[in-house]
Amino acid sequence: ADCMVLYSDGLSEAQGPDGMLGVDGVAGMLSSCDASSADGALGQIMDITACSYASEDDVTLMVVRRR
């Protein structure tokens, strides 16, 4: 199944202990997510970012999975 993730710059610009998450950090996070369901992947991304990263910007995130 295919999975597509759309996100705003608030996610990639979120600050963590090692600096900004960045596009590479988002890609690494996505590669470790379970994409068997859109809800599951969305929940994992939100859990990781809520615990480890701070954003002063709004964060928009959409996960779409094709069966």
Side-chain angles (χ1 to χ4, degrees), residues 14-39:
Q15 295 291 322
D18 298 325
M20 190 167 55
L21 180 60
V23 175
D24 291 337
V26 173
M29 183 176 16
L30 294 175
S31 68
S32 67
C33 282
D34 175 17
S36 61
S37 76
D39 287 339

Side-chain angles (χ1 to χ4, degrees), residues 1-5 34-39 41 63-67:
D2 295 324
C3 187
M4 178 175 62
V5 179
D34 175 17
S36 61
S37 76
D39 287 339
V63 179
V64 179
R65 182 177 174 268
R66 180 178 171 215
R67 296 180 188 183

Side-chain angles (χ1 to χ4, degrees), residues 1-2 5 8 14 16 22 25 28 31-33 35-36 40 43-44 47-50 52 56-57 62:
D2 295 324
V5 179
S8 66
S31 68
S32 67
C33 282
S36 61
Q44 287 179 341
D47 287 347
I48 292 168
T49 55
S52 303
E56 294 182 10
D57 195 0
M62 181 170 68

